Amino acid sequence: MKRIVSLILALMLTLSLCACGEKEAEQVDLTAFYETLFTGDDAPMMMEADADMLDTIYPGLTEIPRVQTVAYTAAISLVPAEVVLIEVENADDVSKVEDILRARISYQVDDLGAWYPATLESWKNNSEVVSVGNYVALFVADTKDAMVESFRALF
């Protein structure tokens, strides 16, 4: 009888430890991730978007509660490169951020914001908005597919 009780107690202890072992989602460092995207001698010169620039090129974004915001755009308008990485506080805001980032692509393509032919083509073919959980990203670069894959691999 003692063996059965001991076995039952050991089983209950094991099950209780398994239940407590659930992992909380870890926060991804978006700045550290951005720093891995453009490497080598052919990396474009990028500039960080300050609050005024965010308001100008991503209208409505600064009104959304965010945990992290990393936004860089090419320092020269002829270079089609832009990366925006955002972690929102509330999951309900993910679609709002996606809409804002897609509006940026639309402006560049449909409203001729990217008026150099090669830049326009790159915005058409090498831009993508992607989200995972509370994280949303815009990638514009010739290496967009690899960036998207790396972003998804973070989670």
Side-chain angles (χ1 to χ4, degrees):
M1 186 65 166
K2 286 183 179 180
R3 286 185 184 174
I4 293 174
V5 171
S6 295
L7 184 60
I8 291 172
L9 287 174
L11 182 60
M12 288 175 56
L13 179 61
T14 302
L15 290 175
S16 68
L17 288 175
C18 291
C20 294
E22 291 182 23
K23 291 174 118 180
E24 288 186 28
E26 292 184 29
Q27 186 177 36
V28 173
D29 182 347
L30 295 178
T31 300
F33 173 68
Y34 171 79
E35 291 170 357
T36 68
L37 297 178
F38 295 107
T39 58
D41 295 334
D42 60 345
M45 183 183 294
M46 303 291 281
M47 63 181 188
E48 187 171 10
D50 61 13
D52 290 335
M53 184 181 264
L54 286 175
D55 283 335
T56 301
I57 62 179
Y58 311 106
L61 184 62
T62 58
E63 297 166 12
I64 297 171
R66 292 161 285 126
V67 177
Q68 300 180 76
T69 303
V70 176
Y72 283 84
T73 187
I76 301 170
S77 61
L78 181 60
V79 177
E82 197 158 302
V83 175
V84 179
L85 306 167
I86 296 172
E87 179 186 7
V88 295
E89 285 183 11
N90 305 308
D92 295 339
D93 291 329
V94 168
S95 63
K96 293 175 191 173
V97 173
E98 289 173 334
D99 290 344
I100 290 168
L101 298 179
R102 285 190 185 103
R104 172 71 173 157
I105 296 170
S106 178
Y107 169 76
Q108 293 294 89
V109 173
D110 300 329
D111 297 333
L112 299 178
W115 52 278
Y116 295 111
T119 307
L120 179 62
E121 283 303 308
S122 191
W123 273 91
K124 282 182 184 177
N125 300 316
N126 296 319
S127 62
E128 186 171 344
V129 174
V130 61
S131 60
V132 178
N134 283 13
Y135 294 85
V136 186
L138 164 67
F139 298 106
V140 182
D142 292 340
T143 57
K144 176 253 319 173
D145 291 334
M147 291 178 177
V148 169
E149 185 178 321
S150 295
F151 179 72
R152 288 187 173 137
L154 293 171
F155 309 97

